[in-house]
Amino acid sequence: MAAFDVIVVGVGGMGSAAIAHLASRGLRVLGIEQFDIGHARGSSHGITRIIRLAYFEHPSYVPLLRRAYELWRDLEAGRDEPLLHITGGLDVGWPGSEVFEGALRSCLLHDLPHEVLDARELTRRFPAWHPAPNVQAVFQPEAGFLTPERCIEAHVAHALQRGATVHTNERVLAIEPHAGRVVIRTDRGEYEAGQVVVSGGPWMGDLAPTLAPLLVPERQVLGWFDITESSPFAPNAFPVFILDADEGRYYGFPEYGVPGFKIGKYHHRYETVHPDTMDRTCHPDDERVLRDAVSRYFPAANGTVSASAACLFTNTPDEHFIIDRAPEAPEVLLVSPCSGHGFKFASVIGEIVADLVETGATSQDIDLFRLDRFPRVLR
Ligand SMILES: Cc1cc2nc3c(=O)[nH]c(=O)nc-3n(C[C@H](O)[C@H](O)[C@H](O)COP(=O)(O)OP(=O)(O)OC[C@H]3O[C@@H](n4cnc5c(N)ncnc54)[C@H](O)[C@@H]3O)c2cc1C
């Protein structure tokens, strides 16, 4: 049986970063991925992912984000194409809304450069916007987007250059901890390691069944809408955004990579699914959810849907991440359930994983991600 210091199960957003950082520390690393690298069946495809500092979800994410930005910049150094594109970011909502107030709170607490815009100023600065008259926006100039498929490829290339082994199209069937070692059984063989990192994204519930109630996969749909006039949606004229609106919470991007205006809605149609059987077709009901916001707030993009993608969130009950040792198996590190907002952190999560595997501790504050915040499930 081949033996490694550490095996990473799932080489997607988090797993690719983990193998890169683990291999950089000189550890013998095996990454096992059930599909190809950069595939479109998990949580990390769709050309773009928002990265932002004005974190409405909780101010304690901001120090992690500062480190994530540094590590993304390190990763893209020497590459032909950028991985991180800065466009500025808008967090928009009515006064009192979670997005607007939370983003403002993070800016004030962490002294982030920002401006507060009213609806009129929002349209004047960014003419694609037709917001409701009562909204306010936090503009934070350091926000932008990452190109997730390219980021994963870059992390995997980095890991391979540093001696990691990566197996693709191989499915992990069992993770068996035995007194300080872990045996991994796959559809192709068996491997042994001192520690295992489980970063299975929407399949986490299958890989850690006792924790499945904390790891709920949910279907999401992204749409690219044809635009009548592209200039207001160009990356230098249209910041990435999060919008709390009457219709729900939306997020969107400037035109990049695929023609059209890309928009999604958090939790989309609230459909709990299994990733093996999820419906990946975009139906008229899916389009309607997105068009409700496009037609009202971005009328210059109210054209036909030229492309779409189905993707998966993996939601924890409080929508904060899980990065912790498995209960009763300290050799197994569970990493992810990123509840629809994790990709931007992959670079720093990879570094945190390497810290935890190598030394058992990290200087980053990851208390928010502990499993014991769910005592009822752990009981
Ligand atoms: C539509 C959508 C929009 C989003 N927008 C943003 C955004 O703008 N900004 C942001 O920061 N985040 C965003 N997110 C969230 C972010 O993309 C995810 O948190 C992140 O990609 C999760 O990465 P992961 O590594 O956990 O999962 P994945 O990238 O899916 O990786 C898990 C991997 O494990 C593999 N695997 C699973 N089981 C096995 C097994 N048994 N054997 C071998 N391999 C296995 C899978 O094949 C997969 O490759 C969005 C998510 C979605 C779906």
Side-chain angles (χ1 to χ4, degrees):
M1 197 187 311
F4 296 85
D5 294 322
V6 54
I7 296 175
V8 176
V9 177
V11 186
M14 308 303 142
S16 62
I19 60 170
H21 284 275
L22 288 162
S24 291
R25 309 274 175 107
L27 296 167
R28 285 173 304 150
V29 182
L30 169 64
I32 306 177
E33 168 54 48
Q34 62 183 341
F35 303 124
D36 292 322
I37 298 304
H39 66 87
R41 282 182 266 188
S43 299
S44 300
H45 56 283
I47 314 294
T48 47
R49 287 289 185 272
I50 292 175
I51 181 165
R52 55 198 158 86
L53 280 170
Y55 224 64
F56 72 83
E57 289 89 339
H58 199 288
S60 73
Y61 285 94
V62 177
L64 292 174
L65 283 161
R66 290 191 196 281
R67 183 64 182 146
Y69 270 82
E70 286 173 4
L71 290 169
W72 289 122
R73 286 294 185 214
D74 289 351
L75 185 66
E76 75 179 357
R79 289 180 60 86
D80 296 341
E81 50 171 3
L83 300 172
L84 170 56
H85 301 250
I86 300 299
T87 59
L90 291 162
D91 291 285
V92 186
W94 58 93
S97 66
E98 189 187 359
V99 166
F100 171 73
E101 299 293 346
L104 187 58
R105 185 163 61 122
S106 280
C107 286
L108 296 173
L109 263 173
H110 291 282
D111 203 17
L112 302 175
H114 70 282
E115 292 171 70
V116 174
L117 313 179
D118 63 15
R120 191 186 295 252
E121 184 62 6
L122 179 56
T123 306
R124 193 188 70 73
R125 295 266 290 272
F126 307 110
W129 275 87
H130 286 243
N134 62 335
V135 299
Q136 298 230 286
V138 174
F139 175 71
Q140 210 287 319
E142 290 147 289
F145 62 86
L146 294 155
T147 50
E149 293 91 342
R150 300 284 90 79
C151 291
I152 292 172
E153 286 166 15
H155 270 138
V156 171
H158 183 99
L160 292 172
Q161 281 157 12
R162 283 152 188 80
T165 304
V166 176
H167 291 184
T168 55
N169 298 299
E170 178 166 356
R171 188 164 204 167
V172 170
L173 304 175
I175 300 170
E176 296 169 358
H178 297 288
R181 305 290 297 165
V182 188
V183 173
I184 297 288
R185 295 186 204 285
T186 76
D187 54 7
R188 275 203 255 152
E190 289 181 15
Y191 313 92
E192 198 187 34
Q195 296 187 61
V196 168
V197 175
V198 186
S199 48
W203 286 267
M204 285 295 277
D206 292 352
L207 293 163
T210 57
L211 301 180
L214 303 177
L215 315 161
V216 180
E218 186 186 39
R219 179 175 177 268
Q220 309 296 315
V221 175
L222 298 161
W224 282 260
F225 285 73
D226 280 345
I227 45 194
T228 48
E229 224 190 305
S230 67
S231 55
F233 292 93
N236 60 359
F238 190 80
V240 296
F241 73 85
I242 314 281
L243 167 67
D244 259 348
D246 297 341
E247 296 82 357
R249 181 170 297 166
Y250 292 85
Y251 54 94
F253 299 80
E255 188 171 32
Y256 178 83
V258 172
F261 164 54
K262 178 184 161 187
I263 187 167
K265 184 182 183 200
Y266 279 82
H267 302 301
H268 193 60
R269 289 163 60 204
Y270 295 91
E271 298 164 282
T272 298
V273 291
H274 190 280
D276 287 340
T277 52
M278 183 181 80
D279 180 359
R280 288 182 161 79
T281 307
C282 177
H283 298 282
D285 282 348
D286 296 313
E287 182 178 325
R288 203 168 302 125
V289 167
L290 304 177
R291 194 175 294 285
D292 281 350
V294 175
S295 59
R296 188 166 170 198
Y297 305 116
F298 308 98
N302 197 17
T304 51
V305 174
S306 55
S308 63
C311 195
L312 289 123
F313 283 2
T314 307
N315 298 313
T316 62
D318 61 5
E319 300 196 356
H320 295 304
F321 307 160
I322 289 174
I323 303 177
D324 207 346
R325 302 274 169 191
E328 293 159 30
E331 312 84 355
V332 177
L333 186 59
L334 304 171
V335 177
S336 187
C338 287
S339 302
H341 62 114
F343 194 86
K344 61 183 83 59
F345 296 91
S347 58
V348 68
I349 288 178
E351 185 176 63
I352 289 167
V353 167
D355 290 345
L356 295 174
V357 166
E358 196 182 34
T359 70
T362 176
S363 59
Q364 298 288 353
D365 180 1
I366 55 168
D367 270 4
L368 194 57
F369 312 141
R370 291 164 62 110
L371 269 172
D372 60 9
R373 71 187 195 274
F374 304 115
R376 285 210 194 139
V377 176
L378 296 185
R379 205 164 39 200

